[in-house]
Amino acid sequence: ARTFIGAAKSGPHVALARGLLDGTEEVKGLAVDTDLRWHIVTCLAAVGAADAGLIDAEFERDATDAGHRHAVAARAARPMAEAKSEAWEAIVRDTSLPTATVSSLIKGFQQPAQEALLEPYAAAYFDILGAYWDERDLEVALAFTRGMYPHGVVHPRTLELTDAYLDGREAPGAVRRLLIEGRDQVQRAMRARARDAEAGL
């Protein structure tokens, strides 16, 4: 069920996911509990099928710390420039946020099929990475370094930015490792896209 909901893009599939949320659709044996409800809301938000009102309404149903984290992730997941900007500003500027909230914002921010929205933040990530690492607690810095690497921007420019950062400074070992891992992920995605193009997919 979670895989189907996460992959729902067409009108009928999105409608079914929304129906599971509001109770107009039912799948025998499937319990739509709080965790699954938030999964539905976040996935709907990521494809532009859940506005701020729906997210706020779900948070009213689950006004807990976990509900708050789900809500900020869902807001960040929306395919809107302002949603990405708000999430980015919170991640990089708000030093009062707990690590769990920062991680939720990162999770929501990084969405597949939103490459055009994420592309402007690729260079910004490398611009701020050194200062973020120097100024934040280790746990938050690691979450940022790993989670905000622009792996969703599958483009040679991402590799160039990574190489320039690694070649231009003495980065901590953990940072170098995470950047190399992120670079490898982008390279694999580029090879997969090239193979799909050759096959006419």
Side-chain angles (χ1 to χ4, degrees), residues 122-160:
Y125 166 83
F126 290 100
D127 288 342
I128 202 171
L129 180 57
Y132 203 96
W133 188 264
D134 291 339
E135 297 168 5
R136 296 298 188 98
D137 292 341
L138 177 62
E139 189 176 3
V140 178
L142 284 170
F144 177 83
T145 306
R146 179 188 297 107
M148 291 299 283
Y149 181 87
H151 51 76
V153 183
V154 184
H155 191 277
R157 179 61 177 157
T158 303
L159 306 183
E160 294 169 4

PDB file of all heavy atoms in Angstrom, residues 122-160:
ATOM      1  N   ALA A 122      21.477  23.407  -5.623  1.00  0.00           N
ATOM      2  CA  ALA A 122      22.678  22.582  -5.707  1.00  0.00           C
ATOM      3  C   ALA A 122      23.920  23.398  -5.365  1.00  0.00           C
ATOM      4  O   ALA A 122      24.707  23.024  -4.487  1.00  0.00           O
ATOM      5  CB  ALA A 122      22.795  21.968  -7.100  1.00  0.00           C
ATOM      6  N   ALA A 123      24.097  24.525  -6.050  1.00  0.00           N
ATOM      7  CA  ALA A 123      25.254  25.370  -5.757  1.00  0.00           C
ATOM      8  C   ALA A 123      25.159  25.959  -4.353  1.00  0.00           C
ATOM      9  O   ALA A 123      26.175  26.085  -3.648  1.00  0.00           O
ATOM     10  CB  ALA A 123      25.370  26.478  -6.797  1.00  0.00           C
ATOM     11  N   ALA A 124      23.950  26.312  -3.929  1.00  0.00           N
ATOM     12  CA  ALA A 124      23.777  26.895  -2.595  1.00  0.00           C
ATOM     13  C   ALA A 124      24.203  25.914  -1.496  1.00  0.00           C
ATOM     14  O   ALA A 124      24.744  26.320  -0.458  1.00  0.00           O
ATOM     15  CB  ALA A 124      22.325  27.307  -2.394  1.00  0.00           C
ATOM     16  N   TYR A 125      23.972  24.640  -1.726  1.00  0.00           N
ATOM     17  CA  TYR A 125      24.385  23.612  -0.770  1.00  0.00           C
ATOM     18  C   TYR A 125      25.889  23.665  -0.540  1.00  0.00           C
ATOM     19  O   TYR A 125      26.365  23.672   0.599  1.00  0.00           O
ATOM     20  CB  TYR A 125      23.954  22.243  -1.287  1.00  0.00           C
ATOM     21  CG  TYR A 125      24.584  21.053  -0.581  1.00  0.00           C
ATOM     22  CD1 TYR A 125      24.051  20.573   0.609  1.00  0.00           C
ATOM     23  CD2 TYR A 125      25.700  20.424  -1.116  1.00  0.00           C
ATOM     24  CE1 TYR A 125      24.617  19.481   1.253  1.00  0.00           C
ATOM     25  CE2 TYR A 125      26.263  19.328  -0.487  1.00  0.00           C
ATOM     26  CZ  TYR A 125      25.724  18.864   0.699  1.00  0.00           C
ATOM     27  OH  TYR A 125      26.288  17.783   1.334  1.00  0.00           O
ATOM     28  N   PHE A 126      26.639  23.703  -1.616  1.00  0.00           N
ATOM     29  CA  PHE A 126      28.097  23.723  -1.484  1.00  0.00           C
ATOM     30  C   PHE A 126      28.592  25.053  -0.925  1.00  0.00           C
ATOM     31  O   PHE A 126      29.598  25.095  -0.208  1.00  0.00           O
ATOM     32  CB  PHE A 126      28.746  23.414  -2.824  1.00  0.00           C
ATOM     33  CG  PHE A 126      28.557  21.990  -3.251  1.00  0.00           C
ATOM     34  CD1 PHE A 126      27.589  21.651  -4.182  1.00  0.00           C
ATOM     35  CD2 PHE A 126      29.328  20.979  -2.703  1.00  0.00           C
ATOM     36  CE1 PHE A 126      27.406  20.323  -4.566  1.00  0.00           C
ATOM     37  CE2 PHE A 126      29.153  19.657  -3.077  1.00  0.00           C
ATOM     38  CZ  PHE A 126      28.192  19.332  -4.011  1.00  0.00           C
ATOM     39  N   ASP A 127      27.873  26.138  -1.235  1.00  0.00           N
ATOM     40  CA  ASP A 127      28.264  27.447  -0.705  1.00  0.00           C
ATOM     41  C   ASP A 127      28.180  27.491   0.817  1.00  0.00           C
ATOM     42  O   ASP A 127      29.003  28.133   1.468  1.00  0.00           O
ATOM     43  CB  ASP A 127      27.375  28.548  -1.292  1.00  0.00           C
ATOM     44  CG  ASP A 127      27.676  28.816  -2.760  1.00  0.00           C
ATOM     45  OD1 ASP A 127      28.762  28.415  -3.226  1.00  0.00           O
ATOM     46  OD2 ASP A 127      26.809  29.405  -3.443  1.00  0.00           O
ATOM     47  N   ILE A 128      27.194  26.807   1.374  1.00  0.00           N
ATOM     48  CA  ILE A 128      26.947  26.914   2.803  1.00  0.00           C
ATOM     49  C   ILE A 128      27.493  25.731   3.603  1.00  0.00           C
ATOM     50  O   ILE A 128      27.573  25.779   4.832  1.00  0.00           O
ATOM     51  CB  ILE A 128      25.431  27.077   3.061  1.00  0.00           C
ATOM     52  CG1 ILE A 128      25.197  27.713   4.433  1.00  0.00           C
ATOM     53  CG2 ILE A 128      24.698  25.739   2.959  1.00  0.00           C
ATOM     54  CD1 ILE A 128      23.763  28.098   4.680  1.00  0.00           C
ATOM     55  N   LEU A 129      27.913  24.687   2.928  1.00  0.00           N
ATOM     56  CA  LEU A 129      28.275  23.447   3.612  1.00  0.00           C
ATOM     57  C   LEU A 129      29.381  23.642   4.650  1.00  0.00           C
ATOM     58  O   LEU A 129      29.279  23.155   5.785  1.00  0.00           O
ATOM     59  CB  LEU A 129      28.685  22.389   2.589  1.00  0.00           C
ATOM     60  CG  LEU A 129      29.102  21.023   3.143  1.00  0.00           C
ATOM     61  CD1 LEU A 129      28.003  20.416   4.003  1.00  0.00           C
ATOM     62  CD2 LEU A 129      29.472  20.076   1.994  1.00  0.00           C
ATOM     63  N   GLY A 130      30.445  24.347   4.283  1.00  0.00           N
ATOM     64  CA  GLY A 130      31.552  24.532   5.220  1.00  0.00           C
ATOM     65  C   GLY A 130      31.128  25.254   6.483  1.00  0.00           C
ATOM     66  O   GLY A 130      31.449  24.821   7.604  1.00  0.00           O
ATOM     67  N   ALA A 131      30.387  26.342   6.331  1.00  0.00           N
ATOM     68  CA  ALA A 131      29.923  27.102   7.488  1.00  0.00           C
ATOM     69  C   ALA A 131      28.928  26.291   8.309  1.00  0.00           C
ATOM     70  O   ALA A 131      28.946  26.339   9.548  1.00  0.00           O
ATOM     71  CB  ALA A 131      29.278  28.412   7.020  1.00  0.00           C
ATOM     72  N   TYR A 132      28.076  25.553   7.646  1.00  0.00           N
ATOM     73  CA  TYR A 132      27.095  24.734   8.361  1.00  0.00           C
ATOM     74  C   TYR A 132      27.820  23.711   9.236  1.00  0.00           C
ATOM     75  O   TYR A 132      27.458  23.484  10.395  1.00  0.00           O
ATOM     76  CB  TYR A 132      26.183  24.024   7.354  1.00  0.00           C
ATOM     77  CG  TYR A 132      24.845  23.602   7.903  1.00  0.00           C
ATOM     78  CD1 TYR A 132      23.726  24.400   7.724  1.00  0.00           C
ATOM     79  CD2 TYR A 132      24.693  22.401   8.591  1.00  0.00           C
ATOM     80  CE1 TYR A 132      22.481  24.021   8.210  1.00  0.00           C
ATOM     81  CE2 TYR A 132      23.450  22.020   9.084  1.00  0.00           C
ATOM     82  CZ  TYR A 132      22.351  22.825   8.889  1.00  0.00           C
ATOM     83  OH  TYR A 132      21.127  22.439   9.387  1.00  0.00           O
ATOM     84  N   TRP A 133      28.849  23.117   8.667  1.00  0.00           N
ATOM     85  CA  TRP A 133      29.598  22.113   9.405  1.00  0.00           C
ATOM     86  C   TRP A 133      30.317  22.732  10.607  1.00  0.00           C
ATOM     87  O   TRP A 133      30.407  22.141  11.679  1.00  0.00           O
ATOM     88  CB  TRP A 133      30.593  21.425   8.474  1.00  0.00           C
ATOM     89  CG  TRP A 133      31.272  20.249   9.093  1.00  0.00           C
ATOM     90  CD1 TRP A 133      32.487  20.232   9.695  1.00  0.00           C
ATOM     91  CD2 TRP A 133      30.749  18.923   9.216  1.00  0.00           C
ATOM     92  NE1 TRP A 133      32.774  18.982  10.171  1.00  0.00           N
ATOM     93  CE2 TRP A 133      31.721  18.155   9.888  1.00  0.00           C
ATOM     94  CE3 TRP A 133      29.555  18.315   8.802  1.00  0.00           C
ATOM     95  CZ2 TRP A 133      31.538  16.814  10.168  1.00  0.00           C
ATOM     96  CZ3 TRP A 133      29.381  16.977   9.083  1.00  0.00           C
ATOM     97  CH2 TRP A 133      30.352  16.238   9.752  1.00  0.00           C
ATOM     98  N   ASP A 134      30.833  23.946  10.419  1.00  0.00           N
ATOM     99  CA  ASP A 134      31.584  24.611  11.486  1.00  0.00           C
ATOM    100  C   ASP A 134      30.686  25.095  12.614  1.00  0.00           C
ATOM    101  O   ASP A 134      31.106  25.130  13.783  1.00  0.00           O
ATOM    102  CB  ASP A 134      32.359  25.806  10.922  1.00  0.00           C
ATOM    103  CG  ASP A 134      33.499  25.388  10.011  1.00  0.00           C
ATOM    104  OD1 ASP A 134      33.940  24.221  10.118  1.00  0.00           O
ATOM    105  OD2 ASP A 134      33.925  26.218   9.183  1.00  0.00           O
ATOM    106  N   GLU A 135      29.450  25.485  12.282  1.00  0.00           N
ATOM    107  CA  GLU A 135      28.596  26.187  13.245  1.00  0.00           C
ATOM    108  C   GLU A 135      27.541  25.317  13.913  1.00  0.00           C
ATOM    109  O   GLU A 135      26.999  25.703  14.953  1.00  0.00           O
ATOM    110  CB  GLU A 135      27.895  27.356  12.530  1.00  0.00           C
ATOM    111  CG  GLU A 135      28.869  28.407  12.007  1.00  0.00           C
ATOM    112  CD  GLU A 135      28.204  29.386  11.063  1.00  0.00           C
ATOM    113  OE1 GLU A 135      26.955  29.292  10.908  1.00  0.00           O
ATOM    114  OE2 GLU A 135      28.914  30.230  10.485  1.00  0.00           O
ATOM    115  N   ARG A 136      27.256  24.165  13.339  1.00  0.00           N
ATOM    116  CA  ARG A 136      26.176  23.339  13.886  1.00  0.00           C
ATOM    117  C   ARG A 136      26.720  22.144  14.657  1.00  0.00           C
ATOM    118  O   ARG A 136      27.875  21.744  14.489  1.00  0.00           O
ATOM    119  CB  ARG A 136      25.269  22.844  12.755  1.00  0.00           C
ATOM    120  CG  ARG A 136      24.542  23.935  12.016  1.00  0.00           C
ATOM    121  CD  ARG A 136      23.593  24.716  12.912  1.00  0.00           C
ATOM    122  NE  ARG A 136      22.777  25.634  12.175  1.00  0.00           N
ATOM    123  CZ  ARG A 136      21.516  25.388  11.780  1.00  0.00           C
ATOM    124  NH1 ARG A 136      20.950  24.223  12.065  1.00  0.00           N
ATOM    125  NH2 ARG A 136      20.844  26.283  11.104  1.00  0.00           N
ATOM    126  N   ASP A 137      25.847  21.582  15.490  1.00  0.00           N
ATOM    127  CA  ASP A 137      26.200  20.350  16.189  1.00  0.00           C
ATOM    128  C   ASP A 137      26.461  19.246  15.180  1.00  0.00           C
ATOM    129  O   ASP A 137      25.922  19.252  14.071  1.00  0.00           O
ATOM    130  CB  ASP A 137      25.067  19.927  17.124  1.00  0.00           C
ATOM    131  CG  ASP A 137      24.877  20.881  18.295  1.00  0.00           C
ATOM    132  OD1 ASP A 137      25.831  21.640  18.584  1.00  0.00           O
ATOM    133  OD2 ASP A 137      23.786  20.877  18.885  1.00  0.00           O
ATOM    134  N   LEU A 138      27.262  18.272  15.604  1.00  0.00           N
ATOM    135  CA  LEU A 138      27.678  17.206  14.696  1.00  0.00           C
ATOM    136  C   LEU A 138      26.486  16.476  14.091  1.00  0.00           C
ATOM    137  O   LEU A 138      26.452  16.215  12.880  1.00  0.00           O
ATOM    138  CB  LEU A 138      28.585  16.218  15.437  1.00  0.00           C
ATOM    139  CG  LEU A 138      29.048  14.998  14.640  1.00  0.00           C
ATOM    140  CD1 LEU A 138      29.869  15.431  13.437  1.00  0.00           C
ATOM    141  CD2 LEU A 138      29.849  14.051  15.531  1.00  0.00           C
ATOM    142  N   GLU A 139      25.486  16.153  14.908  1.00  0.00           N
ATOM    143  CA  GLU A 139      24.353  15.372  14.420  1.00  0.00           C
ATOM    144  C   GLU A 139      23.585  16.118  13.334  1.00  0.00           C
ATOM    145  O   GLU A 139      23.211  15.548  12.312  1.00  0.00           O
ATOM    146  CB  GLU A 139      23.428  15.013  15.586  1.00  0.00           C
ATOM    147  CG  GLU A 139      22.332  14.025  15.221  1.00  0.00           C
ATOM    148  CD  GLU A 139      21.498  13.616  16.424  1.00  0.00           C
ATOM    149  OE1 GLU A 139      21.734  14.146  17.527  1.00  0.00           O
ATOM    150  OE2 GLU A 139      20.605  12.768  16.251  1.00  0.00           O
ATOM    151  N   VAL A 140      23.362  17.420  13.552  1.00  0.00           N
ATOM    152  CA  VAL A 140      22.637  18.220  12.564  1.00  0.00           C
ATOM    153  C   VAL A 140      23.478  18.391  11.305  1.00  0.00           C
ATOM    154  O   VAL A 140      22.966  18.308  10.179  1.00  0.00           O
ATOM    155  CB  VAL A 140      22.262  19.595  13.158  1.00  0.00           C
ATOM    156  CG1 VAL A 140      21.558  20.451  12.106  1.00  0.00           C
ATOM    157  CG2 VAL A 140      21.371  19.430  14.368  1.00  0.00           C
ATOM    158  N   ALA A 141      24.787  18.622  11.500  1.00  0.00           N
ATOM    159  CA  ALA A 141      25.677  18.806  10.347  1.00  0.00           C
ATOM    160  C   ALA A 141      25.727  17.552   9.485  1.00  0.00           C
ATOM    161  O   ALA A 141      25.730  17.631   8.249  1.00  0.00           O
ATOM    162  CB  ALA A 141      27.074  19.182  10.820  1.00  0.00           C
ATOM    163  N   LEU A 142      25.761  16.401  10.119  1.00  0.00           N
ATOM    164  CA  LEU A 142      25.764  15.149   9.359  1.00  0.00           C
ATOM    165  C   LEU A 142      24.450  14.977   8.599  1.00  0.00           C
ATOM    166  O   LEU A 142      24.442  14.554   7.438  1.00  0.00           O
ATOM    167  CB  LEU A 142      25.996  13.966  10.293  1.00  0.00           C
ATOM    168  CG  LEU A 142      27.426  13.763  10.793  1.00  0.00           C
ATOM    169  CD1 LEU A 142      27.451  12.711  11.891  1.00  0.00           C
ATOM    170  CD2 LEU A 142      28.354  13.357   9.645  1.00  0.00           C
ATOM    171  N   ALA A 143      23.331  15.293   9.258  1.00  0.00           N
ATOM    172  CA  ALA A 143      22.030  15.172   8.602  1.00  0.00           C
ATOM    173  C   ALA A 143      21.950  16.094   7.390  1.00  0.00           C
ATOM    174  O   ALA A 143      21.447  15.707   6.328  1.00  0.00           O
ATOM    175  CB  ALA A 143      20.910  15.491   9.590  1.00  0.00           C
ATOM    176  N   PHE A 144      22.464  17.309   7.528  1.00  0.00           N
ATOM    177  CA  PHE A 144      22.450  18.260   6.425  1.00  0.00           C
ATOM    178  C   PHE A 144      23.356  17.786   5.294  1.00  0.00           C
ATOM    179  O   PHE A 144      22.963  17.798   4.120  1.00  0.00           O
ATOM    180  CB  PHE A 144      22.898  19.636   6.917  1.00  0.00           C
ATOM    181  CG  PHE A 144      22.972  20.668   5.825  1.00  0.00           C
ATOM    182  CD1 PHE A 144      21.833  21.357   5.414  1.00  0.00           C
ATOM    183  CD2 PHE A 144      24.176  20.962   5.198  1.00  0.00           C
ATOM    184  CE1 PHE A 144      21.895  22.308   4.409  1.00  0.00           C
ATOM    185  CE2 PHE A 144      24.250  21.912   4.195  1.00  0.00           C
ATOM    186  CZ  PHE A 144      23.096  22.583   3.797  1.00  0.00           C
ATOM    187  N   THR A 145      24.572  17.379   5.640  1.00  0.00           N
ATOM    188  CA  THR A 145      25.534  16.969   4.616  1.00  0.00           C
ATOM    189  C   THR A 145      25.003  15.805   3.806  1.00  0.00           C
ATOM    190  O   THR A 145      25.079  15.798   2.568  1.00  0.00           O
ATOM    191  CB  THR A 145      26.874  16.584   5.265  1.00  0.00           C
ATOM    192  OG1 THR A 145      27.330  17.665   6.078  1.00  0.00           O
ATOM    193  CG2 THR A 145      27.925  16.271   4.216  1.00  0.00           C
ATOM    194  N   ARG A 146      24.452  14.818   4.482  1.00  0.00           N
ATOM    195  CA  ARG A 146      23.923  13.629   3.802  1.00  0.00           C
ATOM    196  C   ARG A 146      22.613  13.939   3.083  1.00  0.00           C
ATOM    197  O   ARG A 146      22.440  13.621   1.904  1.00  0.00           O
ATOM    198  CB  ARG A 146      23.711  12.502   4.804  1.00  0.00           C
ATOM    199  CG  ARG A 146      23.132  11.225   4.198  1.00  0.00           C
ATOM    200  CD  ARG A 146      22.774  10.209   5.270  1.00  0.00           C
ATOM    201  NE  ARG A 146      23.936   9.765   6.021  1.00  0.00           N
ATOM    202  CZ  ARG A 146      24.205  10.121   7.279  1.00  0.00           C
ATOM    203  NH1 ARG A 146      23.389  10.957   7.919  1.00  0.00           N
ATOM    204  NH2 ARG A 146      25.273   9.672   7.903  1.00  0.00           N
ATOM    205  N   GLY A 147      21.690  14.551   3.798  1.00  0.00           N
ATOM    206  CA  GLY A 147      20.336  14.684   3.278  1.00  0.00           C
ATOM    207  C   GLY A 147      20.151  15.757   2.228  1.00  0.00           C
ATOM    208  O   GLY A 147      19.297  15.620   1.341  1.00  0.00           O
ATOM    209  N   MET A 148      20.932  16.842   2.308  1.00  0.00           N
ATOM    210  CA  MET A 148      20.739  17.944   1.375  1.00  0.00           C
ATOM    211  C   MET A 148      21.687  17.898   0.186  1.00  0.00           C
ATOM    212  O   MET A 148      21.651  18.785  -0.670  1.00  0.00           O
ATOM    213  CB  MET A 148      20.881  19.278   2.115  1.00  0.00           C
ATOM    214  CG  MET A 148      19.746  19.538   3.092  1.00  0.00           C
ATOM    215  SD  MET A 148      18.116  19.632   2.304  1.00  0.00           S
ATOM    216  CE  MET A 148      18.213  21.280   1.590  1.00  0.00           C
ATOM    217  N   TYR A 149      22.549  16.885   0.130  1.00  0.00           N
ATOM    218  CA  TYR A 149      23.350  16.731  -1.088  1.00  0.00           C
ATOM    219  C   TYR A 149      22.395  16.653  -2.279  1.00  0.00           C
ATOM    220  O   TYR A 149      21.385  15.940  -2.224  1.00  0.00           O
ATOM    221  CB  TYR A 149      24.218  15.472  -1.022  1.00  0.00           C
ATOM    222  CG  TYR A 149      25.073  15.302  -2.256  1.00  0.00           C
ATOM    223  CD1 TYR A 149      26.312  15.914  -2.334  1.00  0.00           C
ATOM    224  CD2 TYR A 149      24.621  14.574  -3.359  1.00  0.00           C
ATOM    225  CE1 TYR A 149      27.092  15.795  -3.495  1.00  0.00           C
ATOM    226  CE2 TYR A 149      25.391  14.454  -4.514  1.00  0.00           C
ATOM    227  CZ  TYR A 149      26.621  15.068  -4.571  1.00  0.00           C
ATOM    228  OH  TYR A 149      27.381  14.958  -5.714  1.00  0.00           O
ATOM    229  N   PRO A 150      22.685  17.366  -3.376  1.00  0.00           N
ATOM    230  CA  PRO A 150      21.725  17.445  -4.494  1.00  0.00           C
ATOM    231  C   PRO A 150      21.684  16.192  -5.364  1.00  0.00           C
ATOM    232  O   PRO A 150      21.882  16.239  -6.579  1.00  0.00           O
ATOM    233  CB  PRO A 150      22.221  18.668  -5.277  1.00  0.00           C
ATOM    234  CG  PRO A 150      23.684  18.734  -4.984  1.00  0.00           C
ATOM    235  CD  PRO A 150      23.836  18.273  -3.550  1.00  0.00           C
ATOM    236  N   HIS A 151      21.396  15.058  -4.738  1.00  0.00           N
ATOM    237  CA  HIS A 151      21.346  13.800  -5.497  1.00  0.00           C
ATOM    238  C   HIS A 151      20.165  13.749  -6.447  1.00  0.00           C
ATOM    239  O   HIS A 151      20.147  12.949  -7.376  1.00  0.00           O
ATOM    240  CB  HIS A 151      21.307  12.601  -4.544  1.00  0.00           C
ATOM    241  CG  HIS A 151      20.259  12.699  -3.485  1.00  0.00           C
ATOM    242  ND1 HIS A 151      18.924  12.487  -3.735  1.00  0.00           N
ATOM    243  CD2 HIS A 151      20.351  12.997  -2.157  1.00  0.00           C
ATOM    244  CE1 HIS A 151      18.238  12.646  -2.615  1.00  0.00           C
ATOM    245  NE2 HIS A 151      19.076  12.959  -1.643  1.00  0.00           N
ATOM    246  N   GLY A 152      19.165  14.610  -6.213  1.00  0.00           N
ATOM    247  CA  GLY A 152      18.024  14.652  -7.116  1.00  0.00           C
ATOM    248  C   GLY A 152      18.271  15.468  -8.362  1.00  0.00           C
ATOM    249  O   GLY A 152      17.446  15.461  -9.283  1.00  0.00           O
ATOM    250  N   VAL A 153      19.397  16.190  -8.391  1.00  0.00           N
ATOM    251  CA  VAL A 153      19.750  16.976  -9.575  1.00  0.00           C
ATOM    252  C   VAL A 153      20.733  16.148 -10.386  1.00  0.00           C
ATOM    253  O   VAL A 153      21.953  16.230 -10.208  1.00  0.00           O
ATOM    254  CB  VAL A 153      20.349  18.343  -9.176  1.00  0.00           C
ATOM    255  CG1 VAL A 153      20.638  19.180 -10.422  1.00  0.00           C
ATOM    256  CG2 VAL A 153      19.395  19.092  -8.245  1.00  0.00           C
ATOM    257  N   VAL A 154      20.199  15.314 -11.242  1.00  0.00           N
ATOM    258  CA  VAL A 154      20.994  14.333 -11.993  1.00  0.00           C
ATOM    259  C   VAL A 154      21.561  15.022 -13.226  1.00  0.00           C
ATOM    260  O   VAL A 154      20.972  15.002 -14.323  1.00  0.00           O
ATOM    261  CB  VAL A 154      20.143  13.100 -12.362  1.00  0.00           C
ATOM    262  CG1 VAL A 154      20.998  12.054 -13.062  1.00  0.00           C
ATOM    263  CG2 VAL A 154      19.510  12.515 -11.104  1.00  0.00           C
ATOM    264  N   HIS A 155      22.725  15.650 -13.045  1.00  0.00           N
ATOM    265  CA  HIS A 155      23.293  16.491 -14.084  1.00  0.00           C
ATOM    266  C   HIS A 155      24.802  16.567 -13.880  1.00  0.00           C
ATOM    267  O   HIS A 155      25.270  16.542 -12.730  1.00  0.00           O
ATOM    268  CB  HIS A 155      22.672  17.892 -14.010  1.00  0.00           C
ATOM    269  CG  HIS A 155      22.982  18.758 -15.185  1.00  0.00           C
ATOM    270  ND1 HIS A 155      24.156  19.483 -15.293  1.00  0.00           N
ATOM    271  CD2 HIS A 155      22.272  19.034 -16.310  1.00  0.00           C
ATOM    272  CE1 HIS A 155      24.154  20.146 -16.426  1.00  0.00           C
ATOM    273  NE2 HIS A 155      23.020  19.909 -17.061  1.00  0.00           N
ATOM    274  N   PRO A 156      25.574  16.652 -14.965  1.00  0.00           N
ATOM    275  CA  PRO A 156      27.033  16.774 -14.796  1.00  0.00           C
ATOM    276  C   PRO A 156      27.449  17.931 -13.903  1.00  0.00           C
ATOM    277  O   PRO A 156      28.505  17.872 -13.260  1.00  0.00           O
ATOM    278  CB  PRO A 156      27.528  16.970 -16.240  1.00  0.00           C
ATOM    279  CG  PRO A 156      26.497  16.320 -17.088  1.00  0.00           C
ATOM    280  CD  PRO A 156      25.199  16.554 -16.385  1.00  0.00           C
ATOM    281  N   ARG A 157      26.642  18.984 -13.861  1.00  0.00           N
ATOM    282  CA  ARG A 157      26.988  20.138 -13.028  1.00  0.00           C
ATOM    283  C   ARG A 157      27.091  19.741 -11.562  1.00  0.00           C
ATOM    284  O   ARG A 157      27.941  20.273 -10.821  1.00  0.00           O
ATOM    285  CB  ARG A 157      25.936  21.240 -13.208  1.00  0.00           C
ATOM    286  CG  ARG A 157      26.165  22.489 -12.368  1.00  0.00           C
ATOM    287  CD  ARG A 157      27.480  23.156 -12.702  1.00  0.00           C
ATOM    288  NE  ARG A 157      27.642  24.392 -11.944  1.00  0.00           N
ATOM    289  CZ  ARG A 157      28.809  24.963 -11.677  1.00  0.00           C
ATOM    290  NH1 ARG A 157      29.929  24.402 -12.123  1.00  0.00           N
ATOM    291  NH2 ARG A 157      28.862  26.074 -10.989  1.00  0.00           N
ATOM    292  N   THR A 158      26.253  18.809 -11.115  1.00  0.00           N
ATOM    293  CA  THR A 158      26.332  18.349  -9.728  1.00  0.00           C
ATOM    294  C   THR A 158      27.676  17.691  -9.459  1.00  0.00           C
ATOM    295  O   THR A 158      28.289  17.902  -8.403  1.00  0.00           O
ATOM    296  CB  THR A 158      25.190  17.366  -9.429  1.00  0.00           C
ATOM    297  OG1 THR A 158      23.931  18.006  -9.703  1.00  0.00           O
ATOM    298  CG2 THR A 158      25.209  16.933  -7.971  1.00  0.00           C
ATOM    299  N   LEU A 159      28.154  16.910 -10.406  1.00  0.00           N
ATOM    300  CA  LEU A 159      29.469  16.278 -10.252  1.00  0.00           C
ATOM    301  C   LEU A 159      30.572  17.331 -10.229  1.00  0.00           C
ATOM    302  O   LEU A 159      31.513  17.241  -9.434  1.00  0.00           O
ATOM    303  CB  LEU A 159      29.719  15.287 -11.393  1.00  0.00           C
ATOM    304  CG  LEU A 159      28.653  14.217 -11.624  1.00  0.00           C
ATOM    305  CD1 LEU A 159      29.097  13.279 -12.738  1.00  0.00           C
ATOM    306  CD2 LEU A 159      28.370  13.438 -10.345  1.00  0.00           C
ATOM    307  N   GLU A 160      30.447  18.340 -11.082  1.00  0.00           N
ATOM    308  CA  GLU A 160      31.448  19.399 -11.127  1.00  0.00           C
ATOM    309  C   GLU A 160      31.493  20.168  -9.810  1.00  0.00           C
ATOM    310  O   GLU A 160      32.585  20.485  -9.303  1.00  0.00           O
ATOM    311  CB  GLU A 160      31.133  20.353 -12.278  1.00  0.00           C
ATOM    312  CG  GLU A 160      31.267  19.719 -13.662  1.00  0.00           C
ATOM    313  CD  GLU A 160      30.691  20.600 -14.754  1.00  0.00           C
ATOM    314  OE1 GLU A 160      30.260  21.731 -14.443  1.00  0.00           O
ATOM    315  OE2 GLU A 160      30.672  20.156 -15.917  1.00  0.00           O
TER     316      GLU A 160
END
